[in-house]
Amino acid sequence: MGEVDFYGAGAPAAVDRLVTNNVLGLEDGQALYSPICRPNGGIVDDCLVYRFGDEHLRIVVNASNIEKDVAWFLDNTGDRCGVEDRSEEFGLIALQGPRAEAIWRDLAGDIATSLGVFRLADCEAAGVRCTAARTGYTGEDGYEIFCPTADAPALWDAILAAGESHGIKPCGLGARDT
């Protein structure tokens, strides 16, 4: 996945203009799913928008569209806010399924049960500082976990180890489509 951050006082309004959902209604620590549309209604991509604070939002886009989407963002935000492609800085691991909460609780503690749907929070799991979001849209409960790229392999291994007794199975993103 691609992670693009928007900074500055104009960030919420700029991101609100990029997507069809109501970004201005988000609270800190809340997220929403939305298409990114062209003025004629055509879809650029679908995304998740995360609000970290008054002047910091993140849009997560499909990995195959990072370059195209970042160009669209830059062309359509003007000088209203800063836009930074941070895709190379983050690993994103999705932990999904009926036992996701139990597995994540073993690694991250109470954040697993206290984190509401379409909410996000910073936490630590297996010694890795990360941001966990309960924003899956596969039809199963779960978490999207952002961490520094260099820490992603260790976090992946820890998730697999914690999930072994729960029958965890690793799979690629395309598996959700089958």
Side-chain angles (χ1 to χ4, degrees):
M1 304 302 284
E3 295 83 16
V4 184
D5 282 359
F6 296 78
Y7 296 102
V15 172
D16 192 65
R17 291 176 50 88
L18 293 171
V19 301
T20 62
N21 212 330
N22 181 14
V23 171
L24 298 176
L26 288 175
E27 301 169 1
D28 293 354
Q30 193 173 17
L32 61 77
Y33 173 76
S34 184
I36 304 163
C37 286
R38 293 183 171 82
N40 68 1
I43 294 176
V44 176
D45 200 356
D46 66 331
C47 69
L48 284 159
V49 177
Y50 298 87
R51 180 182 164 118
F52 289 90
D54 289 343
E55 297 187 11
H56 180 200
L57 291 98
R58 177 172 297 149
I59 294 182
V60 174
V61 298
N62 291 291
S64 61
N65 293 331
I66 295 170
E67 188 175 316
K68 167 183 73 79
D69 290 352
V70 170
W72 179 261
F73 298 153
L74 290 169
D75 288 346
N76 290 278
T77 56
D79 59 359
R80 291 186 289 269
C81 68
V83 178
E84 183 180 359
D85 178 4
R86 300 188 63 201
S87 303
E88 296 297 320
E89 297 175 42
F90 293 106
L92 176 58
I93 299 171
L95 173 60
Q96 310 247 307
R99 296 181 192 98
E101 185 177 289
I103 295 166
W104 191 236
R105 187 176 47 247
D106 288 348
L107 290 170
D110 291 340
I111 192 73
T113 51
S114 65
L115 193 60
V117 175
F118 278 82
R119 298 289 178 161
L120 60 140
D122 292 333
C123 60
E124 186 172 314
V128 174
R129 293 292 310 152
C130 50
T131 299
R134 211 161 192 171
T135 50
Y137 59 96
T138 62
E140 288 284 356
D141 190 18
Y143 306 85
E144 282 64 50
I145 305 150
F146 302 88
C147 68
T149 302
D151 294 334
L155 185 57
W156 172 263
D157 290 342
I159 289 170
L160 288 180
E164 188 172 359
S165 65
H166 296 279
I168 197 170
K169 301 278 187 228
C171 65
L173 182 62
R176 71 170 183 208
D177 299 331
T178 61

